Amino acid sequence: MRRLASLLALSSIIALAACASDDADRTPSDMPGEVAKSELARNLTPDVSNEDAQALVAGNTAFAVDAYRELQAGNEGENLFISPHSISNALAMVYAGARGNTESQMADALHFTLPQDQLHPAFNWLDLQLASRGEGASGSDGGDFRLNVINATFGQVGYEFLGDFLDRLAVNYGAGLALLDFESDPEGSRQTINTWVADATEDNILDLLPQGMISPDTRLVLTNAVYFNAAWKTKFDPDLTAPGTFRTTAGDVTTDMMTGEVQGVMSASGDGYQALTLPYEGDELDMVFIVPDEGEFTNIDTSISPTWLDGVLSSLAPSNIGGVTMPKFDFRFKTSLIETFQSLGLTDAFNGSADFSGIDGTRNLIITGIVHEAFVKVTEDGTEAGGATAVVVGRDSIPEWVTIDRPFLFLVCDIETGAVLFIGRVLNPS
């Protein structure tokens, strides 16, 4: 169980960036407005077996690969960066209220192999473990090392949420329920949630929820925000950074390349690739690069699997690499994840078949949106990265169904001017 990894595809490099962890000190008092919360405090010493911990990490890694491959197929030729840990955390909170076939489909799609009573404490354990990283280390900006995963939930004021659901969120995710009025002020509620996400990511993700995603039918929004800022163990000298050639699959490009001596590099080589690590200050996290051989990128990028990835990470060993030349890069990626999850077999959650009765005791709720955004910036000093996920849960509004089964008139009109371009009637369509 070497690490939980975020996935990055950058032209002819696949980089595995260290995942961010939980800010256990974040409290409901940091959330806006009135808060509905369980009387129970977060469990800061969860009793989780080694087997459960390994099962959680293995399942999350399998989901990371699945999500990467699904998004890869729909974004050909583009850089790709996600925080699967953020996605898994946000969906795990929704999963706490899933029942029946919806619960089974979510477990399959997310690779949740543990029963609910074991899964959520395992998430809590993992985030608390990661929260301890980086003590005394520096960030890439010269400040302190930051590795935060923060959970928050936002619910409709006056709506009845089950106490068991609120207890599970409080004990395992440290999340209180900030009360907003989605019914009368959906746009204001959207801005409130986006402001929380911006604050949690140090103003790097400013508009996670797009206009229209929050509606008067919204009842619950579950969010997870990740922020990571760490300095390299051995920084690159900016004076040595210079334009250089980067060989993309579409041809050579010129970009800023960093060059410098490095320490503590692990490396491995396999069929069609070379892998190496760059450690961050404190030697508790590193970034892993998997560099396919010339002409092998597409083959490796499209065939990545959890077993293959585990083999690469397990084969890393101390090396005699003393210097590295690599590109600086800075980009972000934003996507809706509904189609991704539908492709992974989660279908009931988005329609009238959904069963989230563990949230409110009814079968009236469905997932109306899942949005994820992530950014990464790699410089001579280190890495700044973050990701945020929001799951929007709303009422299943049954649309009115109109049947036109008798003679009718019809017109073709210009909307702006009201001009009637065509008019007619249908007495017998056959």
Side-chain angles (χ1 to χ4, degrees), residues 348-373:
D348 286 5
F350 308 110
N351 57 48
S353 299
D355 184 354
F356 290 109
S357 56
I359 294 177
D360 66 347
T362 77
R363 292 284 300 271
N364 298 329
L365 298 178
I366 64 172
I367 294 177
T368 60
I370 307 175
V371 62
H372 179 73
E373 183 173 352

Side-chain angles (χ1 to χ4, degrees), residues 91 213 335-338 341 350 367-372 389-391:
L91 269 296
M213 180 161 279
T335 186
S336 166
L337 292 173
I338 288 182
F341 276 104
F350 308 110
I367 294 177
T368 60
I370 307 175
V371 62
H372 179 73
T389 307
V391 184

Side-chain angles (χ1 to χ4, degrees), residues 16 22 32 54 57 64 93 315:
L16 301 175
D22 200 356
Q54 290 183 357
V57 172
M93 290 190 290
S315 65

